């Protein structure tokens, strides 16, 4: 739809909304959604004109179907005019943008990290002049770009930046989930349709006029384009009547409107010469824009030449700003492609591959589309592009590219290898049906079960059914077959099988299975890579094989190579077992967001589990609960029952520690009923850990003892039981409260003799605490308690530290009187209050009350303290609680990192905390920060 003499017909409401949008003082976002040809582009242009009149800088971009599988292609197009401002960003934001735009190395940033970087870039650009971003055909934007645009669009209220997006309502896209304010653009009303038809085609025969109005049904593009077609194809009305006496557009009866318009364009395209049609096809396949608009971001695409005849036919326009041909409407572009024969499309792709010889991903895509038979060079180029796009966060697209590379492979071995790679990536992306299909194709190419088919089958048995026995049997047989075939060099297929075997054993958590695995991997020697050996030691039995694991984990994280997402997830599991994950959590969170956004469900959900567990350990229980609920929702949505029950177990553990006994028991029952019949030992141990924690919080010490000893007997640590060392304090405290002092002491001594303090800081803390609780000699107890509280990492585990202080306070009150106990009991009570551990807090308050002191009454105690925070202290505390470093906070507040640290140093005692890890929980209970 084009304006008539500068006037848009029938869009008064939409124009009022757009005028308010443009003139608003604050930043906003708005999505115009309507059918093809309804006039979205005209309204976007109208808004752009209003903004230009108000001295806004207008930047335009347009989604292209040809670029929908190129991650961040749309974002690059939208931000390209602003890249000159990259130098004004801080190092973190600049690095994030450099990675996704191919200007730097490193792993792909998360949506949040990239969104924050884009917001910073937009804010700096808008500091000189208000900014309007206009994105047309947003339904063709690639998924990662859409995610970032949605993130940014929801956070523009504090900046002079506005985002306007046009979408076709008949094409599902990622913007559907962006939750941006909508402006529906529907069909024109009857009077408006008649007015537009009169203005554009005056003097039409009444019967043709009625035909056009009936066929167009308020679609402005149809009202403009159909009359010439009717006059050409049915000049004599009596010959063009339908059976009912009504004139009819030939060839279009009963066809939806966009298809009818394609018929109109098809007739014009067919009348062009062969050379012009070929030129249009090359432009369409490379995503040449539709519509001539000022301010469009420059990008590399095919430049159509010699197409004046198409412009004369109303199929192309000339962009007045670049002088290049552009399609008049997206429907023209799609019609050009639909009308071309397969041979014509292949020829066009071959030309485009030569045009994009400096862009490996585009060149590979066009080469693949231009090739019919096997071509190893093209297959290798496409495989390399798939690896590149995976590193940039495009795992789902990589499956398609690898599959096509397999089809083009020059040998059966290369075809099988690439199909295996595609199946492997598909499995980690949660596309198990697709992975099975690929594995069957691989198996059909030769005799016997291929490594890919074994991987997919065992992967499905584990994650969909929780069948650890079947999964382990299949993988063991495949590895033994490779070993017995005389393999002398490590291969990717063998490594993947070994890593899956380790994962299966981690969930099975049984001694016999691990022993057989250790024997098999020992027989493979150097065929097993170091990272897999590290996971073998950390996952199987950290008590017996964990010496030196923490140092190996830290060296692996510090390595120069960026690991694949699934390798990072496995390495992070090892870090969790030795409590070394905290320092790597920001990196893990970024990668988790990227993997979940791009569909790599297995790695993403594993990372979410680890993030939640680290939040639990650090005392960030509210965040842990939100992370767990999100993980549970994602696991259910992707039909991942193993992950769903694992998340329920973690949520049950949190509920138990918080004293929510009913919720904990409900979740524990669900997990136990699913996991125990299947032999998923990790989850049955977690279920018992939930039971022990819930019973301890409720003061039911006999039940707590029974649950704890179901994991491991007192005085030893059951082999290959991951929860055995993690429930050390639970078993000791339950034993003490039920009169089993000898068993408690034996268990504490067993922890020391097993070397637990040398394995991780948390195990050191709880071992020292257990020794202090069980020592009969007061001097010895005091020494172990001093070592526990004095451990450098004690503050990183606030729940365990508070339990040790509570036990020490009770002992002091009984042995040395009330006054001596008050300090320890007060610290414990306040820590439990901050954590939200209701049962433990109540017990600490009761003990404190018994000393004659006044215990903290409720979490509102902290709200009174926050009034002492200055505005600047509160602002900095909020930013620090959000995960920003002192340097990052300084950049946002225009303060030096040293000044930021001073503000935090003064804020911590006012909040009653000692570390950054406790900030979020302390602030969550406070009133909202005052406005600046």
């Amino acid at each position: 739809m084009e304006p008539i003499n500068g006037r848009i017909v029938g869009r008064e409401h939409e124009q009022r909304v757009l005028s308010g949008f443009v003139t608003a003082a604050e930043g906003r976002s708005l999505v115009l959604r309507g059918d093809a040809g309804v006039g979205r582009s005209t309204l976007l242009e109208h808004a752009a004109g209003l903004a230009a009149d108000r001295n806004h800088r207008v930047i335009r971009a347009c989604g292209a179907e040809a670029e929908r599988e190129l991650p961040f292609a749309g974002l690059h197009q939208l931000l390209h005019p602003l890249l000159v401002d990259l130098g004004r960003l801080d190092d973190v934001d600049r690095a994030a943008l450099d990675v996704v735009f191919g200007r730097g190395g490193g792993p792909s940033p998360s949506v949040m990290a990239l969104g924050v970087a884009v917001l910073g870039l937009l804010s700096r650009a808008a500091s000189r002049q208000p900014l309007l971003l206009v994105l047309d055909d947003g339904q063709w934007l690639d998924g990662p770009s859409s995610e970032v645009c949605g993130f940014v669009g929801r956070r523009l209220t504090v900046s002079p930046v506005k985002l306007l997006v046009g979408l076709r309502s008949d094409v599902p896209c990622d913007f559907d989930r962006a939750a941006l304010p909508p402006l529906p653009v529907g069909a024109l009303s009857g009077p408006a349709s008649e007015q537009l038809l009169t203005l554009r085609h005056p003097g039409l025969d009444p019967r043709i006029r009625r035909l056009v109005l009936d066929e167009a049904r308020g679609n402005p593009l149809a009202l403009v384009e159909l009359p010439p077609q009717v006059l050409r194809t049915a000049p004599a009305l009596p010959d063009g009547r339908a059976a009912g006496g009504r004139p009819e557009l030939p060839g279009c009866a009963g066809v939806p409107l966009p298809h009818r318009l394609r018929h109109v364009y098809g007739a014009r395209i067919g009348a062009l010469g062969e050379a012009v049609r070929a030129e249009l096809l090359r432009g369409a396949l490379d995503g040449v824009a539709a519509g001539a608009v000022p301010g469009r971001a420059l990008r590399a695409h095919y430049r159509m030449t010699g197409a004046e005849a198409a412009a004369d036919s109303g199929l192309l326009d000339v962009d007045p700003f670049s002088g290049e041909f552009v399609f008049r409407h997206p429907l023209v572009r799609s019609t050009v492609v639909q009308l071309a024969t397969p041979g014509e499309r292949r020829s066009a792709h071959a030309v485009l591959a030569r045009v994009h010889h400096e862009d490996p991903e585009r060149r590979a895509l066009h080469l693949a589309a231009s090739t019919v038979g096997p071509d190893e060079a093209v297959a290798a180029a496409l495989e390399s592009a798939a690896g590149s796009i995976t590193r940039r966060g495009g795992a789902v697209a990589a499956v398609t590219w690898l599959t096509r590379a397999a089809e083009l492979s020059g040998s059966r071995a290369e075809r099988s290898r690439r199909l295996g790679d595609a199946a492997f990536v598909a499995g980690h992306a949660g596309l198990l049906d697709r992975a099975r299909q690929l594995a069957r194709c691989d198996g059909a190419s030769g005799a016997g079960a291929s490594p890919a088919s074994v991987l997919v089958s065992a992967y499905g048995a584990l994650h969909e059914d929780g069948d650890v026995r079947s999964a382990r049997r299949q993988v063991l047989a495949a590895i033994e077959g490779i070993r017995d075939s005389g393999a002398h060099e490590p291969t990717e297929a063998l490594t993947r099988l070994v890593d899956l075997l380790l994962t299966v054993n981690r969930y099975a958590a049984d001694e016999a299975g691990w022993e057989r695995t250790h024997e098999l991997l020992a027989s493979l020697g150097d065929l097993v890579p170091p990272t897999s050996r590290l996971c073998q030691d950390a996952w199987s039995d950290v008590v017996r094989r964990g010496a030196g694991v923490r140092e190996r984990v830290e060296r692996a994280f510090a390595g120069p190579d960026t690991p694949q997402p699934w390798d990072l997830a496995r390495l992070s599991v090892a870090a969790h077992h030795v409590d070394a994950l905290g320092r790597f959590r920001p990196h893990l969170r970024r990668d988790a967001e990227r993997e979940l956004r791009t569909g790599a469900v297995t790695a993403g959900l594993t990372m979410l589990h680890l993030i939640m567990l680290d939040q639990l350990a650090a005392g960030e229980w509210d965040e842990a609960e939100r992370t767990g609920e999100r993980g549970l929702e994602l696991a259910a949505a992707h039909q991942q029952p193993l992950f769903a029950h694992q998340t329920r177990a973690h949520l049950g553990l949190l509920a138990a520690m918080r004293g929510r006994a009913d919720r904990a028991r409900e979740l524990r029952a669900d997990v136990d009923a699913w996991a125990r019949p299947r032999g998923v030992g990790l989850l049955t141990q977690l279920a018992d850990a939930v039971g022990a924690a819930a019973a301890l919080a409720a003061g039911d010490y006999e039940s707590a003892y029974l649950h704890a000893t179901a994991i491991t007997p007192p005085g030893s640590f059951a082999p290959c039981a991951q929860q055995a060392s993690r429930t050390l304090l639970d078993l000791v405290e339950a034993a003490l409260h039920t009169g089993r002092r000898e068993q408690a002491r034996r268990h504490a001594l067993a922890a020391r003799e097993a070397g637990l303090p040398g394995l991780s800081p948390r195990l050191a803390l709880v071992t020292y605490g257990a020794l202090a609780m069980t020592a009969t000699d007061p001097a010895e107890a005091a020494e172990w308690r001093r070592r526990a509280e004095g451990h450098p990492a004690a503050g990183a585990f606030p729940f365990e530290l508070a339990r040790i202080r509570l036990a020490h306070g009770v002992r002091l009150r009984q042995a040395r009187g009330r006054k001596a106990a008050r300090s320890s009991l007060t610290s414990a009570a306040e820590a439990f209050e901050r954590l939200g551990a209701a049962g433990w807090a109540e017990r600490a308050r009761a003990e404190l009350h018994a000393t004659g002191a006044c215990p903290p009454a409720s979490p509102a105690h902290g709200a009174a303290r926050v009034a002492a925070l200055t505005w600047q202290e509160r602002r900095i505390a909020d930013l620090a609680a959000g995960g920003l470093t002192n340097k990052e906070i300084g950049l946002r507040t225009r303060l030096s990192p040293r000044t930021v640290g001073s503000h935090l140093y003064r804020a911590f005692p006012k909040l009653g905390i000692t570390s950054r890890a406790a900030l979020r929980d302390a602030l969550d209970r406070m009133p909202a920060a005052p406005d600046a």
Side-chain angles (χ1 to χ4, degrees):
M1 182 181 72
E2 298 177 1
I4 308 298
N5 297 325
R7 174 183 167 214
I8 301 177
V9 176
R11 297 299 186 196
E12 291 77 12
H13 168 69
E14 289 85 351
Q15 291 180 80
R16 284 195 298 271
V17 173
L18 290 172
S19 177
F21 172 82
V22 170
T23 58
E26 72 280 1
R28 292 185 178 183
S29 58
L30 188 65
V31 174
L32 277 65
R33 186 186 297 272
D35 292 336
V38 81
R40 298 182 319 278
S41 299
T42 298
L43 290 170
L44 293 176
E45 179 59 25
H46 171 72
L50 292 176
D53 292 342
R54 295 183 62 84
N55 196 34
H56 283 58
R57 182 182 181 185
V58 180
I59 295 179
R60 294 171 172 84
C62 185
E65 191 171 5
E67 296 184 350
R68 198 174 188 182
E69 290 188 356
L70 290 173
F72 302 113
L75 192 64
H76 183 270
Q77 184 191 163
L78 191 64
L79 298 183
H80 189 274
L82 305 178
L83 295 185
V84 294
D85 289 311
L86 272 181
R88 300 173 62 196
L89 299 180
D90 61 50
D91 293 343
V92 174
D93 289 349
R94 185 169 60 252
L97 291 169
D98 282 344
V99 168
V100 299
F101 293 152
R103 299 157 60 106
S108 177
S110 68
V111 172
M112 178 173 290
L114 185 54
V116 169
V118 171
L119 284 170
L121 181 63
L122 295 177
S123 296
R124 281 159 178 76
S127 64
R128 299 187 297 269
Q129 184 181 11
L131 188 61
L132 173 65
L133 304 175
V134 181
L135 173 60
D136 202 359
D137 276 337
Q139 73 279 354
W140 301 131
L141 213 64
D142 60 277
S145 295
S146 300
E147 293 272 0
V148 174
C149 287
F151 178 92
V152 169
R154 295 188 293 273
R155 292 165 173 82
L156 292 177
T157 54
V158 296
S159 67
V161 180
K162 298 180 175 69
L163 173 64
L164 198 56
V165 182
L167 302 177
R168 270 177 51 179
S169 57
D170 60 330
V171 180
C173 68
D174 292 292
F175 275 107
D176 296 341
R177 303 186 298 273
L180 300 181
L183 175 59
V185 182
L188 293 176
S189 66
S193 297
E194 295 194 19
Q195 182 183 10
L196 177 60
L197 189 59
T198 299
L199 289 170
R200 291 304 300 263
H201 299 286
L204 277 181
D205 182 281
R207 288 170 293 180
I208 293 182
R209 181 183 177 87
R210 176 46 48 195
L211 166 64
V212 171
L213 288 170
D214 289 346
E215 292 290 335
R217 298 178 185 176
N219 184 287
L221 183 62
L223 290 166
V224 171
E225 299 288 349
L226 286 179
Q229 179 73 4
V230 174
L231 291 173
R232 281 196 300 270
T233 57
L237 284 173
D239 297 331
R241 296 182 186 278
R246 173 180 172 275
E248 189 170 291
L249 181 60
C252 293
V255 181
L257 181 60
H259 293 284
R260 283 178 257 172
L261 292 178
R262 289 191 185 106
H263 174 84
V264 172
Y265 294 135
R268 301 185 203 172
I269 294 168
L272 297 172
E274 182 178 346
V276 177
R277 291 201 308 273
E279 197 71 8
L280 264 60
L281 179 59
R282 289 190 283 269
L285 291 174
D286 207 38
V288 169
V293 291
R296 187 190 306 281
L298 296 176
R299 55 178 174 155
H301 60 69
Y302 185 76
R303 297 184 178 183
M304 295 182 288
T305 59
E308 288 76 9
D312 294 340
S313 299
L315 298 170
L316 301 179
D317 284 328
V318 176
D319 190 321
F321 306 96
S322 67
E324 298 179 14
F325 284 119
V326 293
F327 289 102
R328 188 173 179 214
H329 192 274
L331 287 175
V332 178
R333 188 169 54 199
S334 60
T335 304
V336 167
V337 177
Q338 291 174 11
L339 292 178
T341 66
E344 290 170 338
R345 288 196 290 269
R346 286 193 295 271
S347 298
H349 280 298
V351 173
L352 293 170
R354 293 192 292 273
V355 170
H356 294 297
H357 64 278
E358 294 183 352
D359 186 334
E361 290 180 8
R362 283 198 181 206
R363 175 178 176 272
L365 284 177
H366 285 303
L367 278 175
S370 69
T371 306
V372 178
D375 189 316
E376 183 57 33
V378 174
L382 194 56
E383 180 182 11
S384 175
S388 171
I389 202 173
T390 300
R391 288 189 292 273
R392 293 175 56 221
V396 176
V399 175
T400 302
W401 296 12
L402 285 168
T403 305
R404 179 60 176 152
E407 294 171 354
L408 298 172
S409 297
S411 68
R412 176 174 291 181
E414 287 299 300
R415 178 181 185 275
S416 178
R417 182 181 63 79
R418 287 169 179 140
L419 282 174
D421 289 346
F424 178 77
V425 176
H428 280 80
L431 307 173
L432 284 178
D433 288 341
R434 177 70 171 144
R436 292 189 184 98
Q437 180 185 17
L438 290 164
R440 284 195 297 269
C441 292
D442 185 19
S445 65
S450 67
S453 64
V454 173
L455 279 168
V456 172
S457 177
Y459 188 92
L462 174 65
H463 288 276
E464 290 187 326
D465 305 321
D467 190 349
V468 293
R469 302 179 184 93
S470 172
R472 182 160 54 198
R473 184 170 57 251
Q474 294 179 67
V475 180
L476 280 169
I479 295 174
E480 288 169 348
I482 293 175
R483 180 198 61 187
D484 296 343
S485 68
H488 299 292
E489 297 291 335
T491 64
E492 198 163 38
L494 176 59
T495 299
R496 289 171 177 172
L497 287 167
V498 167
D499 291 341
L500 181 55
L501 178 61
L502 295 174
T503 299
V504 172
N505 279 311
R506 184 170 77 89
Y507 280 102
D510 65 307
E511 184 179 5
W514 271 116
E515 285 301 320
R516 184 176 178 187
T517 296
H518 291 324
E519 293 172 4
L520 175 59
L521 298 192
S523 71
L524 292 173
D526 293 339
L527 297 181
V528 179
T531 301
S532 300
R533 293 290 186 193
L534 170 58
C535 293
Q536 177 187 0
D537 291 338
W539 296 3
S540 61
D541 193 338
V542 74
V543 174
R544 292 165 179 81
R545 302 175 67 101
V549 164
R550 185 178 176 88
E551 292 74 18
R552 291 160 65 191
V553 165
E554 291 177 348
R555 286 197 300 271
F557 269 107
D561 296 331
T562 301
Q564 290 283 5
W566 33 86
D567 293 328
L568 175 64
R570 295 185 305 107
L571 192 59
S572 299
V573 173
H576 164 68
H577 280 292
V578 290
D579 302 298
L581 190 58
R583 60 183 291 195
F584 307 115
R585 197 208 304 172
H587 179 74
L588 188 65
R589 179 182 289 281
R590 180 194 66 198
D591 281 29
E593 294 297 334
R594 182 194 67 186
E595 296 312 306
L596 291 170
R597 167 174 53 81
T598 57
V601 179
T602 303
L605 285 175
T606 300
M607 292 175 188
L608 277 189
H609 289 157
L610 295 167
I611 290 168
M612 181 187 179
L613 290 174
D614 197 61
Q615 289 168 332
L616 277 175
E620 302 164 18
W621 288 4
D622 289 338
E623 288 88 342
E625 186 165 18
R626 286 191 288 268
T627 302
E629 294 293 348
R630 181 188 177 200
L632 186 58
E633 180 181 346
L634 287 168
H638 290 280
Q639 298 179 335
Q640 296 276 342
L642 179 67
F643 284 134
H645 284 90
Q646 187 174 358
T647 307
R648 289 188 181 97
H650 296 156
L651 288 169
L653 191 60
L654 174 57
M657 293 190 297
R658 282 189 148 166
R660 301 172 183 171
D662 291 343
R663 173 67 171 158
R665 292 190 190 102
E666 176 188 351
L667 290 168
R668 178 196 171 279
D670 286 346
V671 172
D672 198 69
W674 186 84
R676 203 167 293 276
R678 292 172 167 81
V680 187
L682 171 62
L683 299 193
T684 58
Q685 291 175 34
L686 280 170
D688 283 321
V690 172
L696 281 172
D700 183 0
Y701 300 111
E702 186 64 33
S703 294
Y705 184 77
L706 293 175
H707 281 298
T709 54
I711 299 172
T712 187
S716 66
F717 295 90
C720 307
Q722 298 175 23
Q723 295 301 309
S725 58
R726 306 194 78 82
T727 54
L728 168 60
L729 273 188
D730 295 346
L731 195 154
V732 167
E733 288 197 73
L736 288 172
H737 281 285
T738 56
R740 298 178 173 95
R741 179 166 291 277
E742 180 187 350
Q743 289 91 328
R745 183 62 176 171
R746 276 197 291 117
H747 204 54
L749 291 172
R752 184 184 66 181
E753 292 164 5
L756 264 59
L759 300 181
S760 84
R762 180 183 178 276
L763 291 178
L765 175 65
V766 297
T767 299
Y768 298 154
L771 289 167
M773 292 177 188
T774 59
T776 55
D777 177 32
E780 181 188 358
E783 173 60 20
W784 286 120
R785 192 271 313 169
R786 185 192 63 76
R787 292 182 67 175
E789 293 196 31
H791 193 283
F797 307 98
F799 183 57
E800 290 81 356
L801 181 59
R803 289 171 65 175
I804 293 169
R805 285 174 170 166
L806 173 59
H808 179 62
V810 171
R811 182 170 187 152
L812 285 177
R813 182 177 64 80
Q814 294 170 347
R816 294 172 51 189
R818 296 183 298 178
K819 187 175 181 180
R822 286 175 185 169
S823 176
S824 290
L825 292 174
T826 298
S827 296
E830 290 182 349
F832 290 136
E833 290 285 4
R834 287 193 299 271
L835 290 168
W840 290 92
E842 183 179 353
R843 188 181 315 159
R845 287 197 301 267
E847 291 290 343
L848 193 56
H849 183 75
T851 69
C854 181
S858 71
H861 175 66
R865 283 199 299 251
V866 79
L869 290 180
T870 66
W871 173 82
Q872 188 74 289
E873 288 168 351
R874 177 60 192 267
R875 181 189 183 198
I876 289 172
D878 279 327
L879 293 171
L884 298 184
T885 65
N886 286 3
K887 180 180 178 182
E888 291 168 335
I889 295 171
L891 290 172
R892 291 173 184 248
T893 58
R894 301 184 186 278
L895 300 172
S896 71
R898 184 184 298 274
T899 302
V900 171
S902 298
H903 281 297
L904 288 174
Y905 180 80
R906 291 192 294 271
F908 281 6
K910 294 180 181 180
L911 292 170
I913 60 176
T914 59
S915 70
R916 276 176 122 93
L919 265 176
R920 184 72 276 152
D921 281 341
L923 293 174
D924 279 347
R925 299 189 178 95
M926 308 307 175
D931 292 335

